[in-house]
Amino acid sequence: MDEVPEVPALGDALPLVATDPRWLPIALADLDAVHADHLHCERKAAQSALSLIRSYPEHADLVIAMARLAHDETRHVVQVSQLMSRRGQPASYDFGDDYAAALRGLIRKGEPQRLLDRLLVFAAIEGRSAERLGLLAGALEDPKSRELYASLATAEVRHRDIFLALARDVAPAAWRARALELADAEAEILAGRAISARIH
């Protein structure tokens, strides 16, 4: 079995603003909505990783990293689905994610800028997910749910840093400055959205 390489901790390159403190009580008041949204977030994260493999098959390191990440995210779909099943909660239709759509709208068109931006946008999404899953893990009453969300938060931090490491490798001179730009843009996107019982 191939050894999984150690992922460098690069989160300082993507300083996301803290979630509004009003979010957590809103999320805790409607956990069904949070879980339903979370299930689709994990599914779309796997799809995003696979889309990078389709778009950039010539980048061997990216292909391997994204295949592993998609495997992680698919496992998370199963775990969240099992959590919902324990709660007697059926899955619901995905109504889209305007937060992720707004971030994707910042991705530049030409290469290699497009690849860099995709990696950094996905890093931002993973970073925000990690923060909010960690907030939930610290507040949930059910021990199994707390344990699951804590483990998922840790995994999302690792995924964020995988994307950042790939961004560093594809654009050594430009990735940090662009990461800061996108972190600022992500803060503006959050500030312009209503707070709701969703992961993003």
Side-chain angles (χ1 to χ4, degrees):
M1 185 175 185
D2 292 341
E3 184 178 340
V4 178
E6 185 175 343
V7 179
L10 297 171
D12 63 319
L14 191 69
L16 301 181
V17 299
T19 284
D20 189 309
R22 293 175 295 171
W23 175 81
L24 184 58
I26 289 172
L28 292 173
D30 193 355
L31 284 175
D32 281 358
V34 171
H35 296 324
D37 180 58
H38 187 191
L39 180 71
H40 290 297
C41 287
E42 299 290 1
R43 173 186 57 78
K44 286 181 280 194
Q47 291 173 325
S48 293
L50 294 175
S51 75
L52 286 170
I53 295 175
R54 183 184 68 243
S55 299
Y56 304 100
E58 71 278 13
H59 290 266
D61 289 347
L62 179 149
V63 169
I64 293 169
M66 290 300 100
R68 287 174 172 150
L69 193 146
H71 182 270
D72 272 359
E73 301 289 18
T74 302
R75 183 163 47 86
H76 295 170
V77 171
V78 173
Q79 291 174 307
V80 177
S81 180
Q82 289 171 335
L83 169 63
M84 293 170 67
S85 180
R86 287 198 304 271
R87 291 169 54 86
Q89 177 189 350
S92 61
Y93 183 77
D94 178 16
F95 292 100
D97 186 345
D98 58 338
Y99 163 85
L103 278 173
R104 287 173 182 270
L106 302 173
I107 295 172
R108 293 169 290 183
K109 302 300 182 187
E111 298 293 359
Q113 293 86 0
R114 177 173 170 76
L115 172 56
L116 174 62
D117 285 1
R118 289 179 75 182
L119 292 169
L120 291 175
V121 162
F122 294 158
I125 293 171
E126 295 286 343
R128 183 58 63 195
S129 296
E131 184 219 19
R132 291 192 168 180
L133 295 177
L135 291 172
L136 286 169
L140 290 169
E141 295 182 1
D142 174 54
K144 282 188 176 181
S145 298
R146 278 203 313 269
E147 182 180 353
L148 172 62
Y149 273 82
S151 69
L152 293 177
T154 298
E156 305 298 26
V157 169
R158 186 176 68 254
H159 294 168
R160 176 203 65 193
D161 288 348
I162 288 170
F163 283 119
L164 291 175
L166 290 169
R168 176 202 60 194
D169 292 346
V170 302
W175 76 281
R176 279 190 177 270
R178 184 58 175 162
L180 289 174
E181 291 175 0
L182 290 174
D184 288 344
E186 195 262 0
E188 291 182 11
I189 290 168
L190 279 186
R193 298 177 71 248
I195 300 172
S196 62
R198 301 182 64 168
I199 297 299
H200 301 135

